[in-house]
Amino acid sequence: GAVVSQHPSRVICKSGTSVKIECRSLDFQATTMFWYRQFPKQSLMLMATSNEGSKATYEQGVEKDKFLINHASLTLSTLTVTSAHPEDSSFYICSAEGTGTRAEAFFGQGTRLTVV
Amino acid sequence: QKEVEQNSGPLSVPEGAIASLNCTYSDRVSQSFFWYRQYSGKSPELIMSIYSNGDKEDGRFTAQLNKASQYVSLLIRDSQPSDSATYLCAVMDSNYQLIWGAGTKLIIKP
């Protein structure tokens, strides 16, 4: 299957600072990537759909000014959590999906963000 | 609103027995169905995909799809402690977007 690399795997930051998470597709071109957030013992929650060369599409309730998404190339999407607060502490996962009706999702390793 | 429903569990199964995980979905036009396994603190990984009614077998795993009943299941034969994880059901909707279930926590008891 395809390989998606996400970095960093863990980050601890101070409240009020910003954190950037990178998601790279290593062996294919991903015109669309997805960013999820997962709180403990809960399912994946789609935050936004990242489109190469255009603005991201955010899900209802997700602040676009707080969670900045950039998809500047076909292999790289970044999520920046701006002015992080403790309630932003979560597991953030990116994925790239194939095209067509049989598309499956390939996930990055995830980033455990802890805001102190 | 399109929904994918799973029993959150935990589902406890003795080692060596068959684990049966179930999922129902609301979008009748869905065509693609996936089962993902997620270990604690890790990202989901694809276990099975199924697109047609009936059974699909891959090693110890069997996915079953019944589109008329809007039901998809995953059977794990000869369950091992390493199968203990959360299993996520995902359904692709008519907009080619994956809709995720909340996951079922499976515990295999040695």
Side-chain angles (χ1 to χ4, degrees):
Chain A
V3 178
V4 175
S5 177
Q6 187 174 342
H7 178 81
S9 58
R10 289 179 178 272
V11 59
I12 300 173
C13 71
K14 291 184 177 180
S15 185
T17 61
S18 296
V19 173
K20 179 184 283 188
I21 303 170
E22 292 189 348
C23 181
R24 294 181 183 273
S25 55
L26 298 185
D27 54 358
F28 69 104
Q29 293 181 333
T31 55
T32 303
M33 289 187 177
F34 300 84
W35 287 95
Y36 293 88
R37 180 167 53 184
Q38 188 176 36
F39 292 106
K41 299 184 180 181
Q42 294 187 25
S43 188
L44 300 171
M45 186 190 78
L46 180 64
M47 298 175 65
T49 302
S50 170
N51 304 298
E52 186 268 335
S54 64
K55 292 182 179 180
T57 304
Y58 290 82
E59 295 299 302
Q60 191 173 5
V62 179
E63 299 175 59
K64 62 180 182 180
D65 294 329
K66 180 170 183 62
F67 299 98
L68 301 178
I69 291 173
N70 184 282
H71 195 153
S73 76
L74 288 171
T75 59
L76 174 64
S77 175
T78 61
L79 168 68
T80 302
V81 183
T82 64
S83 187
H85 289 96
E87 57 264 32
D88 297 324
S89 299
S90 186
F91 191 48
Y92 292 86
I93 313 173
C94 70
S95 80
E97 295 174 12
T99 58
T101 58
R102 298 200 166 199
E104 60 188 71
F106 300 99
F107 287 91
Q109 300 93 322
T111 298
R112 174 72 60 192
L113 171 63
T114 302
V115 184
V116 297
Chain B
Q1 178 154 349
K2 299 166 186 173
E3 294 181 343
V4 175
E5 304 261 351
Q6 291 182 259
N7 187 318
S8 61
L11 174 65
S12 185
V13 174
E15 184 177 357
I18 296 175
S20 178
L21 303 162
N22 305 314
C23 172
T24 58
Y25 58 95
S26 63
D27 188 355
R28 284 193 168 273
V29 301
S30 298
Q31 297 294 322
S32 305
F33 308 86
F34 307 91
W35 281 100
Y36 286 80
R37 177 176 63 197
Q38 186 177 23
Y39 292 113
S40 180
K42 303 294 184 182
S43 286
E45 56 179 325
L46 182 68
I47 298 296
M48 291 284 287
S49 57
I50 187 166
Y51 311 102
S52 308
N53 276 327
D55 295 0
K56 179 181 177 182
E57 186 175 319
D58 184 0
R60 296 187 296 112
F61 299 96
T62 299
Q64 299 176 318
L65 176 61
N66 184 324
K67 291 184 180 180
S69 300
Q70 295 175 237
Y71 175 97
V72 57
S73 65
L74 179 70
L75 302 178
I76 306 174
R77 290 183 300 281
D78 188 23
S79 297
Q80 303 296 311
S82 59
D83 295 326
S84 298
T86 295
Y87 289 80
L88 299 167
C89 173
V91 176
M92 181 161 287
D93 70 9
S94 52
N95 295 319
Y96 303 115
Q97 181 165 323
L98 284 177
I99 310 298
W100 294 88
T104 298
K105 184 173 182 178
L106 175 66
I107 299 172
I108 306 299
K109 291 185 173 179

